[in-house]
Amino acid sequence: DAKTTQPNSMESNEEEPVHLPCNHSTISGTDYIHWYRQLPSQGPEYVIHGLTSNVNNRMASLAIAEDRKSSTLILHRATLRDAAVYYCILSNYNQGGKLIFGQGTELSVKP
Amino acid sequence: SAVISQKPSRDICQRGTSLTIQCQVDSQVTMMFWYRQQPGQSLTLIATANQGSEATYESGFVIDKFPISRPNLTFSTLTVSNLSPEDSSIYLCSVWESAEAFFGQGTRLTVV
């Protein structure tokens, strides 16, 4: 399974944008880039995913490098509720939903 | 989106006993996944459960310790056997639907 590298922790101020980086230099052509987050005392929840093009949804944006070896999750305006551990995961759909979690980035948001 | 119900939400068990965790999904799914999250750690995949076949275990996990049942397309159980304090963790089940993974709220197990 291709691995991802993320910073252990990041800090943000409330209502400011947050850019969470992820390196995945060994990504294969069929790997999708997924982001999940885990709020305290909850199971992980889906944030966003993409293959090659940048993606936007109501929660966040995903910027994918042209060579696909890195990506950035963008939270446009951080709120206190966004404090969580964010996981960047590569998933090949042939594996049918099997996700291998790394250590993730713990995001703290200051008021 | 899939809705997953896990039972029990938490339990305290004596060492040497077993705990069976149930996972119910509100839709039919081909594969269900079981994860363990040790205190302060990330999630580790234990096994993949397919209906009608034996579960596929990840390296470091064995069927004798973590037997899994998958009797139909909406239900699975994970048993953690011969409990020791090192098994104290959160156990989560997950399903995949429309390119998105859904997780239960987890079962917090404490072994004393």
Side-chain angles (χ1 to χ4, degrees), chain A residues 9-27:
Chain A
S9 62
M10 291 185 65
E11 277 189 353
S12 172
N13 295 315
E14 196 175 13
E15 298 191 4
E16 290 186 356
V18 182
H19 291 232
L20 297 166
C22 181
N23 288 320
H24 29 78
S25 58
T26 60
I27 190 170

Side-chain angles (χ1 to χ4, degrees), chain B residues 95-106:
Chain B
V95 302
W96 182 260
E97 186 175 273
S98 301
E100 185 177 333
F102 296 88
F103 290 82
Q105 288 300 299

Side-chain angles (χ1 to χ4, degrees), chain A residues 67-78:
Chain A
D67 63 5
R68 300 208 327 126
K69 293 185 176 182
S70 65
S71 61
T72 302
L73 179 70
I74 302 166
L75 306 179
H76 295 286
R77 289 185 66 200

Side-chain angles (χ1 to χ4, degrees), chain A residues 2 24-33 50-52 67-68 90-94:
Chain A
H24 29 78
S25 58
T26 60
I27 190 170
S28 73
T30 55
D31 283 336
Y32 282 76
I33 302 160
L51 183 62
T52 56
D67 63 5
R68 300 208 327 126
L90 302 182
S91 179
N92 185 318
Y93 287 179
N94 291 334

Side-chain angles (χ1 to χ4, degrees), chain B residues 6 11-12 28 41-42 54 71 82 86 92 101:
Chain B
Q6 250 187 266
D11 207 341
I12 300 172
Q28 295 185 338
Q41 301 296 312
S42 179
E54 279 199 7
N82 190 23
E86 292 71 35
L92 301 103

Side-chain angles (χ1 to χ4, degrees), chain A residues 34 36 38 42-44 46 49 87 91 93 95-99 101-103, chain B residues 31 33 35 37 41-43 45 48 58 92 96 99-101 103-105 108:
Chain A
H34 283 250
Y36 286 77
Q38 188 173 24
Q42 295 190 24
Y46 170 85
H49 79 281
Y87 297 100
S91 179
Y93 287 179
Q95 298 175 324
K98 172 180 168 180
L99 299 179
F101 285 75
Q103 288 306 304
Chain B
M31 287 190 276
F33 304 90
Y35 290 85
Q37 188 168 30
Q41 301 296 312
S42 179
L43 283 76
L45 181 64
T48 302
E58 298 296 308
L92 301 103
W96 182 260
E100 185 177 333
F103 290 82
Q105 288 300 299
R108 182 180 294 271

